[in-house]
Amino acid sequence: MSLCPTSDAKLRAEMRVELRETARRLDITSLYVTTSGGGARHLGSVIVMNGGKIEQIGSPQDIYNRPVSRFVADLLVPRT
């Protein structure tokens, strides 16, 4: 059975919330890997990597408002 894209997006959003709340409740550090800039905006600290090298580290708001490179800016807000 295949989920429709809307259901997939909703499930991913629900799982991000669940993972974040579980990590906080257990007082553990967790790592959530995504290629989705949209998904990264809802997490704690974000590390943006490009070609295996760190481009920027910060809160989702800092990275969104002050990207240090075109790569970071395009990841979060793709050009049309």
Side-chain angles (χ1 to χ4, degrees), residues 37-69:
R41 285 193 296 258
H42 302 285
L43 303 173
S45 295
V46 174
I47 300 173
V48 178
M49 298 184 73
N50 181 11
K53 298 194 187 273
I54 295 174
E55 288 262 342
Q56 188 170 353
I57 300 173
S59 72
Q61 295 80 13
D62 288 342
I63 291 174
Y64 183 82
N65 292 324
R66 292 180 291 285
V68 298
S69 68

Side-chain angles (χ1 to χ4, degrees), residues 17-77:
V17 170
E18 183 68 28
L19 289 168
R20 185 178 57 236
E21 289 176 357
T22 299
R24 285 183 181 155
R25 186 176 68 252
L26 297 175
D27 194 29
I28 60 171
T29 300
S30 62
L31 176 65
Y32 179 80
V33 178
T34 181
T35 58
S36 164
R41 285 193 296 258
H42 302 285
L43 303 173
S45 295
V46 174
I47 300 173
V48 178
M49 298 184 73
N50 181 11
K53 298 194 187 273
I54 295 174
E55 288 262 342
Q56 188 170 353
I57 300 173
S59 72
Q61 295 80 13
D62 288 342
I63 291 174
Y64 183 82
N65 292 324
R66 292 180 291 285
V68 298
S69 68
R70 171 60 65 185
F71 176 81
V72 174
D74 287 346
L75 178 67
L76 297 174
V77 183

